[in-house]
Amino acid sequence: MIGIFGGTFDPIHNGHLHVAQQVLDLVALDQVHFLPCAIPVHRSVPYESAENRLRMIELAIANQEKFRLNTLEMRRDGKSYMVDTLRDIKAGFPGHTICLILGADAFNQIKGWKSPREILRLAHLIVCRRPEVTLDNAIFSDHWVEASASLGDSTESSILPLEINENPCSSTRIRDMLEAQTAEIQCLHPAVYEYIQDHHLYH
Ligand code: ATP
């Protein structure tokens, strides 16, 4: 099973790394792909360039055997619709089960995404807790499963709410702190923090 973890990663932070590691610890995934979007659909354009966001992900996941950088959305023209991405990933990994990893805030918005039912036909969803977010368990309620083992029963269409330990980091907060020149290193991988400082990002 391949985990797909999409986001703006502007910048990647310890909350992202924590989510990916907890999912790996609790679900039998072979890999987790960090998939930065090129042009987000439901939010403003990223603060930093694709190149900088990619480089920061590379630095943060270096030496992590099961973490991969997936540049599919960066290489595709136009807006980054997850349904198109999942179709491409399915085609690129025939026979593999795809699990889309989402924080609770992202999952709560999924009905506003392009073709949410099709997304569910292409992948399982793994939904992780996030501080100050109440998971909307009315969304696709007939697809929810309780145990990660249930994801092996089919190749798509299950939603697993995962009881991970919560992590408070957020890119918005980090950007605000960096702009105010307040060090926010506890939420950033040291190599990412160094890259941000060296390249004068988020000022
Ligand atoms: P922003 O503050 O700009 O909204 P973010 O911190 O949410 O950014 P994104 O790159 O937008 O970062 O998030 C990508 C994915 O990671 C989303 O599914 C989001 O819900 C999830 N995520 C990010 N941080 C956390 C966290 N601390 N706990 C759980 N999920 C998270």
Side-chain angles (χ1 to χ4, degrees):
M1 289 200 292
I2 296 176
I4 299 295
F5 190 23
T8 314
F9 300 110
D10 191 22
I12 187 167
H13 54 67
N14 291 345
H16 296 126
L17 297 171
H18 172 81
V19 163
Q21 189 57 54
Q22 289 259 294
V23 172
L24 270 183
D25 291 346
L26 298 168
V27 184
L29 297 182
D30 302 306
Q31 303 169 353
V32 171
H33 291 204
F34 289 75
L35 179 108
C37 64
I39 305 175
V41 181
H42 296 288
R43 53 191 296 163
S44 47
V45 288
Y47 288 79
E48 293 301 341
S49 65
E51 188 195 338
N52 280 330
R53 289 182 294 122
L54 286 178
R55 187 71 194 115
M56 288 188 280
I57 297 172
E58 279 174 347
L59 290 168
I61 67 173
N63 307 320
Q64 304 271 356
E65 201 195 332
K66 292 192 171 182
F67 290 174
R68 302 271 188 283
L69 170 62
N70 187 322
T71 57
L72 201 154
E73 290 189 343
M74 293 284 192
R75 287 181 275 118
R76 195 174 61 202
D77 283 341
K79 290 189 171 178
S80 302
Y81 290 107
M82 183 53 77
V83 66
D84 300 336
T85 303
L86 290 175
R87 275 195 206 104
D88 289 350
I89 290 172
K90 272 282 215 199
F93 292 91
H96 283 78
T97 297
I98 307 298
C99 296
L100 179 63
I101 301 166
L102 300 161
D105 56 314
F107 174 76
N108 285 352
Q109 303 298 322
I110 200 165
K111 286 280 180 91
W113 294 13
K114 180 181 169 191
S115 310
R117 284 209 173 268
E118 179 66 11
I119 289 176
L120 203 49
R121 271 194 288 273
L122 290 163
H124 292 313
L125 308 188
I126 298 174
V127 185
C128 296
R129 287 151 43 127
R130 190 163 188 182
E132 293 163 38
V133 180
T134 305
L135 192 55
D136 184 347
N137 54 17
I139 299 174
F140 296 130
S141 53
D142 46 340
H143 290 263
W144 288 50
V145 296
E146 283 180 12
S148 61
S150 306
L151 299 183
D153 296 345
S154 63
T155 52
E156 69 281 306
S157 298
S158 293
I159 299 175
L160 175 71
L162 206 59
E163 296 287 311
I164 66 163
N165 300 321
E166 291 187 358
N167 179 293
C169 298
S170 99
S171 296
T172 304
R173 188 153 166 271
I174 292 168
R175 287 193 302 269
D176 289 348
M177 304 283 270
L178 289 167
E179 198 183 355
Q181 309 216 331
T182 318
E184 178 65 355
I185 47 176
Q186 71 270 30
C187 269
L188 289 170
H189 185 290
V192 173
Y193 183 65
E194 197 181 325
Y195 185 89
I196 288 172
Q197 296 298 318
D198 287 352
H199 294 81
H200 309 290
L201 307 187
Y202 303 108
H203 287 306

PDB file of all heavy atoms in Angstrom, residues 5-9 13 15-16 19 43 101-106 128-131 167-172 175, ligand 1:
ATOM      1  N   PHE A   5       0.543  11.766   0.647  1.00  0.00           N
ATOM      2  CA  PHE A   5       0.342  12.850   1.609  1.00  0.00           C
ATOM      3  C   PHE A   5       0.508  14.176   0.856  1.00  0.00           C
ATOM      4  O   PHE A   5       1.620  14.638   0.623  1.00  0.00           O
ATOM      5  CB  PHE A   5       1.375  12.702   2.733  1.00  0.00           C
ATOM      6  CG  PHE A   5       1.147  13.591   3.915  1.00  0.00           C
ATOM      7  CD1 PHE A   5      -0.103  14.110   4.209  1.00  0.00           C
ATOM      8  CD2 PHE A   5       2.199  13.903   4.770  1.00  0.00           C
ATOM      9  CE1 PHE A   5      -0.318  14.930   5.313  1.00  0.00           C
ATOM     10  CE2 PHE A   5       2.008  14.711   5.880  1.00  0.00           C
ATOM     11  CZ  PHE A   5       0.741  15.230   6.136  1.00  0.00           C
ATOM     12  N   GLY A   6      -0.622  14.737   0.437  1.00  0.00           N
ATOM     13  CA  GLY A   6      -0.600  15.976  -0.332  1.00  0.00           C
ATOM     14  C   GLY A   6      -0.627  17.200   0.568  1.00  0.00           C
ATOM     15  O   GLY A   6      -1.129  17.143   1.692  1.00  0.00           O
ATOM     16  N   GLY A   7      -0.088  18.301   0.055  1.00  0.00           N
ATOM     17  CA  GLY A   7      -0.141  19.549   0.823  1.00  0.00           C
ATOM     18  C   GLY A   7       0.592  20.659   0.092  1.00  0.00           C
ATOM     19  O   GLY A   7       1.169  20.439  -0.976  1.00  0.00           O
ATOM     20  N   THR A   8       0.561  21.827   0.689  1.00  0.00           N
ATOM     21  CA  THR A   8       1.302  22.947   0.108  1.00  0.00           C
ATOM     22  C   THR A   8       2.752  22.905   0.601  1.00  0.00           C
ATOM     23  O   THR A   8       3.665  23.317  -0.092  1.00  0.00           O
ATOM     24  CB  THR A   8       0.631  24.286   0.514  1.00  0.00           C
ATOM     25  OG1 THR A   8      -0.778  24.157   0.309  1.00  0.00           O
ATOM     26  CG2 THR A   8       1.129  25.419  -0.338  1.00  0.00           C
ATOM     27  N   PHE A   9       2.937  22.397   1.806  1.00  0.00           N
ATOM     28  CA  PHE A   9       4.276  22.278   2.398  1.00  0.00           C
ATOM     29  C   PHE A   9       5.037  23.605   2.274  1.00  0.00           C
ATOM     30  O   PHE A   9       6.121  23.666   1.707  1.00  0.00           O
ATOM     31  CB  PHE A   9       5.049  21.111   1.775  1.00  0.00           C
ATOM     32  CG  PHE A   9       4.359  19.785   1.962  1.00  0.00           C
ATOM     33  CD1 PHE A   9       3.775  19.119   0.894  1.00  0.00           C
ATOM     34  CD2 PHE A   9       4.256  19.207   3.216  1.00  0.00           C
ATOM     35  CE1 PHE A   9       3.113  17.897   1.070  1.00  0.00           C
ATOM     36  CE2 PHE A   9       3.604  17.990   3.411  1.00  0.00           C
ATOM     37  CZ  PHE A   9       3.035  17.341   2.330  1.00  0.00           C
ATOM     38  N   HIS A  13       6.819  20.970   7.911  1.00  0.00           N
ATOM     39  CA  HIS A  13       7.133  21.139   9.332  1.00  0.00           C
ATOM     40  C   HIS A  13       7.034  19.799  10.070  1.00  0.00           C
ATOM     41  O   HIS A  13       6.678  18.775   9.474  1.00  0.00           O
ATOM     42  CB  HIS A  13       6.234  22.206   9.962  1.00  0.00           C
ATOM     43  CG  HIS A  13       4.755  21.985   9.775  1.00  0.00           C
ATOM     44  ND1 HIS A  13       4.087  20.928  10.353  1.00  0.00           N
ATOM     45  CD2 HIS A  13       3.827  22.691   9.075  1.00  0.00           C
ATOM     46  CE1 HIS A  13       2.811  21.001  10.028  1.00  0.00           C
ATOM     47  NE2 HIS A  13       2.622  22.052   9.244  1.00  0.00           N
ATOM     48  N   GLY A  15       4.912  18.755  12.154  1.00  0.00           N
ATOM     49  CA  GLY A  15       3.564  18.163  12.165  1.00  0.00           C
ATOM     50  C   GLY A  15       3.391  17.223  10.984  1.00  0.00           C
ATOM     51  O   GLY A  15       2.851  16.119  11.123  1.00  0.00           O
ATOM     52  N   HIS A  16       3.862  17.651   9.804  1.00  0.00           N
ATOM     53  CA  HIS A  16       3.787  16.783   8.615  1.00  0.00           C
ATOM     54  C   HIS A  16       4.588  15.497   8.839  1.00  0.00           C
ATOM     55  O   HIS A  16       4.117  14.390   8.549  1.00  0.00           O
ATOM     56  CB  HIS A  16       4.360  17.495   7.386  1.00  0.00           C
ATOM     57  CG  HIS A  16       3.616  18.726   6.949  1.00  0.00           C
ATOM     58  ND1 HIS A  16       4.230  19.940   6.780  1.00  0.00           N
ATOM     59  CD2 HIS A  16       2.310  18.925   6.638  1.00  0.00           C
ATOM     60  CE1 HIS A  16       3.347  20.838   6.366  1.00  0.00           C
ATOM     61  NE2 HIS A  16       2.175  20.255   6.290  1.00  0.00           N
ATOM     62  N   VAL A  19       2.861  13.201  11.313  1.00  0.00           N
ATOM     63  CA  VAL A  19       1.714  12.511  10.714  1.00  0.00           C
ATOM     64  C   VAL A  19       2.210  11.336   9.867  1.00  0.00           C
ATOM     65  O   VAL A  19       1.734  10.200   9.999  1.00  0.00           O
ATOM     66  CB  VAL A  19       0.881  13.489   9.837  1.00  0.00           C
ATOM     67  CG1 VAL A  19      -0.050  12.737   8.890  1.00  0.00           C
ATOM     68  CG2 VAL A  19       0.069  14.435  10.718  1.00  0.00           C
ATOM     69  N   ARG A  43      -7.015  27.674  -1.942  1.00  0.00           N
ATOM     70  CA  ARG A  43      -6.304  28.623  -1.104  1.00  0.00           C
ATOM     71  C   ARG A  43      -5.425  29.496  -1.987  1.00  0.00           C
ATOM     72  O   ARG A  43      -5.269  29.218  -3.176  1.00  0.00           O
ATOM     73  CB  ARG A  43      -5.482  27.893  -0.046  1.00  0.00           C
ATOM     74  CG  ARG A  43      -4.561  26.843  -0.625  1.00  0.00           C
ATOM     75  CD  ARG A  43      -3.981  25.967   0.435  1.00  0.00           C
ATOM     76  NE  ARG A  43      -3.135  26.729   1.320  1.00  0.00           N
ATOM     77  CZ  ARG A  43      -2.755  26.293   2.515  1.00  0.00           C
ATOM     78  NH1 ARG A  43      -3.168  25.121   2.958  1.00  0.00           N
ATOM     79  NH2 ARG A  43      -1.988  27.028   3.280  1.00  0.00           N
ATOM     80  N   ILE A 101      -3.600  10.356   2.620  1.00  0.00           N
ATOM     81  CA  ILE A 101      -3.440  10.766   4.025  1.00  0.00           C
ATOM     82  C   ILE A 101      -3.855  12.230   4.157  1.00  0.00           C
ATOM     83  O   ILE A 101      -3.365  13.091   3.414  1.00  0.00           O
ATOM     84  CB  ILE A 101      -1.965  10.591   4.458  1.00  0.00           C
ATOM     85  CG1 ILE A 101      -1.532   9.130   4.290  1.00  0.00           C
ATOM     86  CG2 ILE A 101      -1.756  11.070   5.890  1.00  0.00           C
ATOM     87  CD1 ILE A 101      -0.016   8.916   4.371  1.00  0.00           C
ATOM     88  N   LEU A 102      -4.739  12.495   5.103  1.00  0.00           N
ATOM     89  CA  LEU A 102      -5.252  13.853   5.288  1.00  0.00           C
ATOM     90  C   LEU A 102      -5.290  14.203   6.765  1.00  0.00           C
ATOM     91  O   LEU A 102      -5.609  13.345   7.596  1.00  0.00           O
ATOM     92  CB  LEU A 102      -6.703  13.943   4.786  1.00  0.00           C
ATOM     93  CG  LEU A 102      -6.985  13.634   3.321  1.00  0.00           C
ATOM     94  CD1 LEU A 102      -8.460  13.320   3.137  1.00  0.00           C
ATOM     95  CD2 LEU A 102      -6.584  14.814   2.471  1.00  0.00           C
ATOM     96  N   GLY A 103      -5.028  15.474   7.088  1.00  0.00           N
ATOM     97  CA  GLY A 103      -5.336  15.959   8.424  1.00  0.00           C
ATOM     98  C   GLY A 103      -6.838  16.188   8.520  1.00  0.00           C
ATOM     99  O   GLY A 103      -7.522  16.328   7.490  1.00  0.00           O
ATOM    100  N   ALA A 104      -7.352  16.236   9.757  1.00  0.00           N
ATOM    101  CA  ALA A 104      -8.803  16.369   9.952  1.00  0.00           C
ATOM    102  C   ALA A 104      -9.349  17.644   9.308  1.00  0.00           C
ATOM    103  O   ALA A 104     -10.455  17.642   8.757  1.00  0.00           O
ATOM    104  CB  ALA A 104      -9.116  16.361  11.447  1.00  0.00           C
ATOM    105  N   ASP A 105      -8.565  18.725   9.320  1.00  0.00           N
ATOM    106  CA  ASP A 105      -9.039  19.980   8.713  1.00  0.00           C
ATOM    107  C   ASP A 105      -9.223  19.830   7.206  1.00  0.00           C
ATOM    108  O   ASP A 105     -10.217  20.308   6.643  1.00  0.00           O
ATOM    109  CB  ASP A 105      -8.066  21.133   9.021  1.00  0.00           C
ATOM    110  CG  ASP A 105      -6.643  20.841   8.567  1.00  0.00           C
ATOM    111  OD1 ASP A 105      -6.143  19.731   8.815  1.00  0.00           O
ATOM    112  OD2 ASP A 105      -6.025  21.717   7.928  1.00  0.00           O
ATOM    113  N   ALA A 106      -8.296  19.134   6.569  1.00  0.00           N
ATOM    114  CA  ALA A 106      -8.399  18.919   5.121  1.00  0.00           C
ATOM    115  C   ALA A 106      -9.578  17.986   4.808  1.00  0.00           C
ATOM    116  O   ALA A 106     -10.371  18.248   3.900  1.00  0.00           O
ATOM    117  CB  ALA A 106      -7.088  18.329   4.595  1.00  0.00           C
ATOM    118  N   CYS A 128      -6.125  11.939   9.950  1.00  0.00           N
ATOM    119  CA  CYS A 128      -5.380  12.088  11.208  1.00  0.00           C
ATOM    120  C   CYS A 128      -5.899  13.250  12.027  1.00  0.00           C
ATOM    121  O   CYS A 128      -6.229  14.307  11.492  1.00  0.00           O
ATOM    122  CB  CYS A 128      -3.911  12.321  10.894  1.00  0.00           C
ATOM    123  SG  CYS A 128      -3.160  10.916  10.073  1.00  0.00           S
ATOM    124  N   ARG A 129      -5.928  13.045  13.337  1.00  0.00           N
ATOM    125  CA  ARG A 129      -6.395  14.108  14.245  1.00  0.00           C
ATOM    126  C   ARG A 129      -5.489  15.321  14.167  1.00  0.00           C
ATOM    127  O   ARG A 129      -4.293  15.197  13.923  1.00  0.00           O
ATOM    128  CB  ARG A 129      -6.390  13.586  15.678  1.00  0.00           C
ATOM    129  CG  ARG A 129      -7.489  12.608  15.966  1.00  0.00           C
ATOM    130  CD  ARG A 129      -7.090  11.636  17.045  1.00  0.00           C
ATOM    131  NE  ARG A 129      -6.411  12.252  18.164  1.00  0.00           N
ATOM    132  CZ  ARG A 129      -6.764  12.112  19.426  1.00  0.00           C
ATOM    133  NH1 ARG A 129      -7.817  11.384  19.750  1.00  0.00           N
ATOM    134  NH2 ARG A 129      -6.064  12.659  20.389  1.00  0.00           N
ATOM    135  N   ARG A 130      -6.088  16.473  14.392  1.00  0.00           N
ATOM    136  CA  ARG A 130      -5.310  17.712  14.425  1.00  0.00           C
ATOM    137  C   ARG A 130      -5.867  18.574  15.546  1.00  0.00           C
ATOM    138  O   ARG A 130      -7.094  18.662  15.688  1.00  0.00           O
ATOM    139  CB  ARG A 130      -5.420  18.430  13.081  1.00  0.00           C
ATOM    140  CG  ARG A 130      -4.466  19.569  12.962  1.00  0.00           C
ATOM    141  CD  ARG A 130      -4.248  20.048  11.548  1.00  0.00           C
ATOM    142  NE  ARG A 130      -3.174  21.014  11.552  1.00  0.00           N
ATOM    143  CZ  ARG A 130      -2.740  21.671  10.508  1.00  0.00           C
ATOM    144  NH1 ARG A 130      -3.278  21.445   9.337  1.00  0.00           N
ATOM    145  NH2 ARG A 130      -1.758  22.545  10.609  1.00  0.00           N
ATOM    146  N   PRO A 131      -4.986  19.232  16.341  1.00  0.00           N
ATOM    147  CA  PRO A 131      -5.475  20.032  17.462  1.00  0.00           C
ATOM    148  C   PRO A 131      -6.507  21.069  17.015  1.00  0.00           C
ATOM    149  O   PRO A 131      -6.371  21.668  15.941  1.00  0.00           O
ATOM    150  CB  PRO A 131      -4.208  20.723  17.992  1.00  0.00           C
ATOM    151  CG  PRO A 131      -3.095  19.864  17.537  1.00  0.00           C
ATOM    152  CD  PRO A 131      -3.519  19.240  16.255  1.00  0.00           C
ATOM    153  N   ASN A 167      -0.251  16.897  17.084  1.00  0.00           N
ATOM    154  CA  ASN A 167       0.922  17.771  16.982  1.00  0.00           C
ATOM    155  C   ASN A 167       0.437  19.158  16.575  1.00  0.00           C
ATOM    156  O   ASN A 167      -0.316  19.287  15.626  1.00  0.00           O
ATOM    157  CB  ASN A 167       1.882  17.197  15.929  1.00  0.00           C
ATOM    158  CG  ASN A 167       3.116  18.065  15.750  1.00  0.00           C
ATOM    159  OD1 ASN A 167       3.022  19.188  15.275  1.00  0.00           O
ATOM    160  ND2 ASN A 167       4.255  17.554  16.125  1.00  0.00           N
ATOM    161  N   PRO A 168       0.860  20.204  17.289  1.00  0.00           N
ATOM    162  CA  PRO A 168       0.280  21.537  17.063  1.00  0.00           C
ATOM    163  C   PRO A 168       0.905  22.344  15.928  1.00  0.00           C
ATOM    164  O   PRO A 168       0.460  23.464  15.663  1.00  0.00           O
ATOM    165  CB  PRO A 168       0.539  22.234  18.405  1.00  0.00           C
ATOM    166  CG  PRO A 168       1.810  21.615  18.884  1.00  0.00           C
ATOM    167  CD  PRO A 168       1.811  20.193  18.398  1.00  0.00           C
ATOM    168  N   CYS A 169       1.918  21.840  15.242  1.00  0.00           N
ATOM    169  CA  CYS A 169       2.615  22.671  14.240  1.00  0.00           C
ATOM    170  C   CYS A 169       1.716  23.004  13.053  1.00  0.00           C
ATOM    171  O   CYS A 169       0.895  22.183  12.637  1.00  0.00           O
ATOM    172  CB  CYS A 169       3.855  21.941  13.730  1.00  0.00           C
ATOM    173  SG  CYS A 169       5.065  21.622  15.016  1.00  0.00           S
ATOM    174  N   SER A 170       1.879  24.204  12.505  1.00  0.00           N
ATOM    175  CA  SER A 170       1.155  24.577  11.285  1.00  0.00           C
ATOM    176  C   SER A 170       2.024  25.533  10.475  1.00  0.00           C
ATOM    177  O   SER A 170       2.794  26.333  11.035  1.00  0.00           O
ATOM    178  CB  SER A 170      -0.192  25.225  11.614  1.00  0.00           C
ATOM    179  OG  SER A 170      -0.115  26.627  11.555  1.00  0.00           O
ATOM    180  N   SER A 171       1.909  25.434   9.158  1.00  0.00           N
ATOM    181  CA  SER A 171       2.726  26.289   8.275  1.00  0.00           C
ATOM    182  C   SER A 171       2.371  27.757   8.472  1.00  0.00           C
ATOM    183  O   SER A 171       3.253  28.622   8.459  1.00  0.00           O
ATOM    184  CB  SER A 171       2.516  25.899   6.813  1.00  0.00           C
ATOM    185  OG  SER A 171       2.974  24.601   6.576  1.00  0.00           O
ATOM    186  N   THR A 172       1.073  28.053   8.648  1.00  0.00           N
ATOM    187  CA  THR A 172       0.662  29.446   8.825  1.00  0.00           C
ATOM    188  C   THR A 172       1.375  30.054  10.024  1.00  0.00           C
ATOM    189  O   THR A 172       1.925  31.156   9.960  1.00  0.00           O
ATOM    190  CB  THR A 172      -0.863  29.534   9.051  1.00  0.00           C
ATOM    191  OG1 THR A 172      -1.513  28.900   7.961  1.00  0.00           O
ATOM    192  CG2 THR A 172      -1.333  30.968   9.156  1.00  0.00           C
ATOM    193  N   ARG A 175       5.058  30.592   9.352  1.00  0.00           N
ATOM    194  CA  ARG A 175       5.305  31.768   8.480  1.00  0.00           C
ATOM    195  C   ARG A 175       5.164  33.063   9.266  1.00  0.00           C
ATOM    196  O   ARG A 175       5.969  33.975   9.127  1.00  0.00           O
ATOM    197  CB  ARG A 175       4.327  31.763   7.291  1.00  0.00           C
ATOM    198  CG  ARG A 175       4.622  30.715   6.240  1.00  0.00           C
ATOM    199  CD  ARG A 175       3.820  31.002   4.968  1.00  0.00           C
ATOM    200  NE  ARG A 175       2.395  31.044   5.188  1.00  0.00           N
ATOM    201  CZ  ARG A 175       1.565  30.002   5.080  1.00  0.00           C
ATOM    202  NH1 ARG A 175       2.049  28.817   4.743  1.00  0.00           N
ATOM    203  NH2 ARG A 175       0.281  30.139   5.292  1.00  0.00           N
TER     204      ARG A 175
HETATM  205  P1  ATP B   1      -1.404  26.031   6.568  1.00  0.00           P
HETATM  206  O1  ATP B   1      -1.168  26.432   7.981  1.00  0.00           O
HETATM  207  O2  ATP B   1      -0.763  26.971   5.564  1.00  0.00           O
HETATM  208  O3  ATP B   1      -2.855  25.723   6.265  1.00  0.00           O
HETATM  209  P2  ATP B   1      -0.642  23.288   7.066  1.00  0.00           P
HETATM  210  O4  ATP B   1       0.229  23.358   8.269  1.00  0.00           O
HETATM  211  O5  ATP B   1      -2.052  22.818   7.229  1.00  0.00           O
HETATM  212  O6  ATP B   1      -0.608  24.692   6.305  1.00  0.00           O
HETATM  213  P3  ATP B   1      -0.416  21.875   4.568  1.00  0.00           P
HETATM  214  O7  ATP B   1       0.793  21.690   3.726  1.00  0.00           O
HETATM  215  O8  ATP B   1      -1.506  22.695   4.047  1.00  0.00           O
HETATM  216  O9  ATP B   1       0.111  22.430   5.986  1.00  0.00           O
HETATM  217  O10 ATP B   1      -0.993  20.474   5.056  1.00  0.00           O
HETATM  218  C1  ATP B   1      -0.905  19.293   4.275  1.00  0.00           C
HETATM  219  C2  ATP B   1      -1.664  18.209   4.997  1.00  0.00           C
HETATM  220  O11 ATP B   1      -1.085  17.982   6.284  1.00  0.00           O
HETATM  221  C3  ATP B   1      -3.144  18.517   5.256  1.00  0.00           C
HETATM  222  O12 ATP B   1      -3.887  17.317   5.071  1.00  0.00           O
HETATM  223  C4  ATP B   1      -3.154  18.940   6.718  1.00  0.00           C
HETATM  224  O13 ATP B   1      -4.400  18.680   7.325  1.00  0.00           O
HETATM  225  C5  ATP B   1      -2.074  18.040   7.284  1.00  0.00           C
HETATM  226  N1  ATP B   1      -1.421  18.586   8.482  1.00  0.00           N
HETATM  227  C6  ATP B   1      -0.568  19.626   8.544  1.00  0.00           C
HETATM  228  N2  ATP B   1      -0.143  19.837   9.799  1.00  0.00           N
HETATM  229  C7  ATP B   1      -0.774  18.916  10.577  1.00  0.00           C
HETATM  230  C8  ATP B   1      -0.754  18.628  11.979  1.00  0.00           C
HETATM  231  N3  ATP B   1      -0.048  19.356  12.836  1.00  0.00           N
HETATM  232  N4  ATP B   1      -1.527  17.596  12.429  1.00  0.00           N
HETATM  233  C9  ATP B   1      -2.282  16.862  11.554  1.00  0.00           C
HETATM  234  N5  ATP B   1      -2.324  17.082  10.218  1.00  0.00           N
HETATM  235  C10 ATP B   1      -1.593  18.111   9.732  1.00  0.00           C
END
